[in-house]
Amino acid sequence: MNTQFEECLKACLECMESCNVCFDACLKEDDVKMMASCIRLDRECADICALAVKAMQTNSPFATQICNLCAEICEACGNECKKHDHDHCQKCAEACYRCAEACRKMAS
Amino acid sequence: MNTQFEECLKACLECMESCNVCFDACLKEDDVKMMASCIRLDRECADICALAVKAMQTNSPFATQICNLCAEICEACGNECKKHDHDHCQKCAEACYRCAEACRKMAS
Amino acid sequence: MNTQFEECLKACLECMESCNVCFDACLKEDDVKMMASCIRLDRECADICALAVKAMQTNSPFATQICNLCAEICEACGNECKKHDHDHCQKCAEACYRCAEACRKMAS
Amino acid sequence: MNTQFEECLKACLECMESCNVCFDACLKEDDVKMMASCIRLDRECADICALAVKAMQTNSPFATQICNLCAEICEACGNECKKHDHDHCQKCAEACYRCAEACRKMAS
């Protein structure tokens, strides 16, 4: 395993966790309506990160393509999370951007 | 494939679809806050139905145990959906109860 | 729901089932070694079809991109399955090609 | 988060990785036929570990039940892997047993 691969795997695992935690926290906020897009994107992003992790850990012949798609979804999720002041959203946005970058490096 | 197996598989596929549709519709409702538990349970239920479908279609040695857990989650999701008047919630509750029953028959 | 959407959803569900059934059947063949690529691609393909189904049923903003990736993986799985004479492989190849085509139409 | 929860989460992530790595390695062995049960159980186990991780990270009301099922599948996968001398199987067996124990502690 090379460094870019390992960093991408780590970034996907951290992003998956941040999105899962953010999903749960958003559902408990007072202003759930305002968090609707965040809730949706947290699930999209956690699910594609999980698929990217599986692809990398199993040496999938499609790991590159899955990581490219993961980068796109991470960026969209990061852009949504960044709009909200909640700690879990800000933390999630950072994890999403880091993961998008790591996926792009891995796929390039 | 026997009848109980086929009925369970069909019920899981229909419940998965109803939960996915209900999840999307709940996120678009005006009263998202009131739908928070429904949104969460729709995801739990769609995900375990998807796992039960995979288990049945691949002849998993754990199909029975997964269907038992699926029945429990379907019932909880049905109980939550039933509380809400939205058409997608009422339809989802029916699909959840049918799936819970089909899973219990399959697993017994 | 329009026709292309419904046809794509149906094709993904059928392809997922064919791949899951083929995975199980390949593992029971005498010549498992010869089926190794098929076993691997059946899982890749069933998993991306499942993700495409979830994306379509939840109105995901990434349904198009996921279906594009699904088409690519379906085609690779179809090409592998087509090489093997087993009924489950031939049937799976057909479902994969149909799904690839339906995904491309939906995504275009 | 308490210690048992964190240990269970960590054990599930490590077991998921070991099973994914073992799945890939088994498919590349000369004696794939002998590894057929291992290949199947690696997928069952990696998939239920992934679900348990999602359940714990999202505060699922079914985390306990999912971890109980995860323990059962981990034990079965560990028992199969233990039979094979390959390093990836022996390593996987250890991760499976650790995960089974951590899931049982968490669920008790």
Side-chain angles (χ1 to χ4, degrees):
Chain A
M1 269 195 252
N2 62 30
T3 313
Q4 281 186 347
F5 182 94
E6 276 183 67
E7 275 175 16
C8 184
L9 183 55
K10 195 166 164 278
C12 285
L13 284 164
E14 286 172 359
C15 185
M16 180 182 80
E17 175 159 23
S18 295
C19 288
N20 280 333
V21 168
C22 189
F23 169 77
D24 172 51
C26 283
L27 284 172
K28 290 170 178 163
E29 290 291 345
D30 284 332
D31 51 351
V32 188
K33 175 108 189 116
M34 204 170 76
M35 311 314 293
S37 291
C38 203
I39 291 167
R40 182 188 292 272
L41 285 164
D42 280 338
R43 290 268 33 89
E44 301 273 347
C45 195
D47 287 349
I48 194 73
C49 284
L51 189 69
V53 165
K54 177 154 64 175
M56 285 184 276
Q57 290 179 342
T58 59
N59 249 318
S60 162
F62 303 103
T64 302
Q65 292 94 319
I66 292 169
C67 284
N68 263 325
L69 179 54
C70 190
E72 189 179 345
I73 297 178
C74 284
E75 187 154 327
C77 188
N79 288 343
E80 177 60 33
C81 282
K82 208 177 54 176
K83 296 181 198 165
H84 305 286
D85 285 337
H86 307 301
D87 264 7
H88 54 85
C89 290
Q90 290 296 314
K91 228 185 124 178
C92 191
E94 280 171 42
C96 287
Y97 289 140
R98 269 197 310 271
C99 189
E101 200 191 335
C103 282
R104 283 206 191 90
K105 268 189 199 161
M106 217 288 280
S108 71
Chain B
M1 269 196 255
N2 62 31
T3 313
Q4 282 187 345
F5 183 94
E6 276 183 66
E7 276 175 16
C8 185
L9 184 54
K10 194 165 165 279
C12 284
L13 284 164
E14 287 172 0
C15 185
M16 180 182 79
E17 176 158 24
S18 295
C19 288
N20 280 333
V21 168
C22 189
F23 169 78
D24 172 52
C26 283
L27 283 173
K28 292 169 178 163
E29 291 292 346
D30 285 331
D31 51 352
V32 188
K33 175 108 190 116
M34 205 170 75
M35 311 314 292
S37 290
C38 203
I39 291 166
R40 183 188 291 272
L41 285 165
D42 280 339
R43 290 269 33 90
E44 302 273 347
C45 195
D47 288 348
I48 194 75
C49 283
L51 188 69
V53 165
K54 175 153 67 174
M56 285 184 277
Q57 290 179 341
T58 59
N59 250 319
S60 162
F62 303 102
T64 302
Q65 291 93 320
I66 292 170
C67 284
N68 263 326
L69 179 53
C70 190
E72 190 180 346
I73 296 178
C74 283
E75 187 155 326
C77 189
N79 288 342
E80 178 59 33
C81 282
K82 208 176 55 175
K83 295 180 197 165
H84 306 285
D85 284 338
H86 307 301
D87 264 9
H88 54 84
C89 289
Q90 290 296 314
K91 227 185 127 179
C92 192
E94 280 171 41
C96 287
Y97 289 141
R98 268 199 310 272
C99 190
E101 200 190 336
C103 282
R104 284 207 191 89
K105 267 189 200 160
M106 217 288 281
S108 71
Chain C
M1 270 195 254
N2 63 30
T3 312
Q4 281 186 346
F5 182 94
E6 275 183 68
E7 275 176 16
C8 185
L9 184 54
K10 194 166 164 279
C12 284
L13 284 164
E14 286 172 1
C15 185
M16 180 181 79
E17 176 158 23
S18 295
C19 288
N20 279 333
V21 168
C22 189
F23 168 77
D24 172 51
C26 283
L27 283 173
K28 291 169 178 163
E29 291 291 346
D30 285 332
D31 51 352
V32 188
K33 175 112 191 110
M34 204 170 76
M35 310 315 291
S37 290
C38 203
I39 290 166
R40 182 188 291 271
L41 285 164
D42 281 338
R43 289 270 31 91
E44 301 273 347
C45 195
D47 287 348
I48 194 74
C49 284
L51 189 69
V53 165
K54 176 153 68 174
M56 286 185 275
Q57 290 179 342
T58 59
N59 250 319
S60 163
F62 303 102
T64 302
Q65 292 94 319
I66 292 170
C67 284
N68 263 325
L69 180 54
C70 190
E72 188 179 346
I73 297 178
C74 283
E75 187 154 326
C77 188
N79 288 342
E80 177 60 32
C81 282
K82 208 177 53 177
K83 295 179 197 166
H84 306 285
D85 284 337
H86 307 301
D87 266 7
H88 55 85
C89 288
Q90 290 296 314
K91 227 184 126 179
C92 191
E94 281 171 40
C96 287
Y97 289 141
R98 270 198 310 272
C99 189
E101 199 191 336
C103 281
R104 283 206 192 90
K105 268 189 199 161
M106 219 287 281
S108 71
Chain D
M1 269 196 253
N2 61 30
T3 312
Q4 281 186 346
F5 182 95
E6 276 183 66
E7 276 176 15
C8 185
L9 184 54
K10 195 166 165 278
C12 285
L13 284 164
E14 287 172 0
C15 186
M16 180 181 79
E17 175 158 25
S18 294
C19 288
N20 280 332
V21 168
C22 189
F23 169 78
D24 172 51
C26 283
L27 284 172
K28 291 169 178 163
E29 291 291 346
D30 286 331
D31 51 352
V32 188
K33 176 109 188 114
M34 205 170 75
M35 310 314 293
S37 290
C38 203
I39 291 167
R40 182 187 292 273
L41 285 164
D42 280 339
R43 289 269 32 90
E44 301 272 348
C45 195
D47 288 348
I48 194 73
C49 284
L51 188 69
V53 165
K54 177 153 66 175
M56 284 185 276
Q57 290 179 343
T58 60
N59 249 320
S60 161
F62 303 102
T64 302
Q65 291 94 320
I66 292 169
C67 284
N68 263 325
L69 180 53
C70 190
E72 189 179 347
I73 296 177
C74 283
E75 188 155 325
C77 188
N79 288 342
E80 177 60 32
C81 282
K82 208 177 52 176
K83 295 180 198 164
H84 306 285
D85 285 337
H86 307 301
D87 265 8
H88 54 84
C89 289
Q90 290 296 313
K91 227 185 125 179
C92 191
E94 279 171 42
C96 287
Y97 289 140
R98 270 198 308 273
C99 189
E101 200 190 335
C103 282
R104 283 206 191 91
K105 268 189 200 161
M106 218 287 281
S108 71

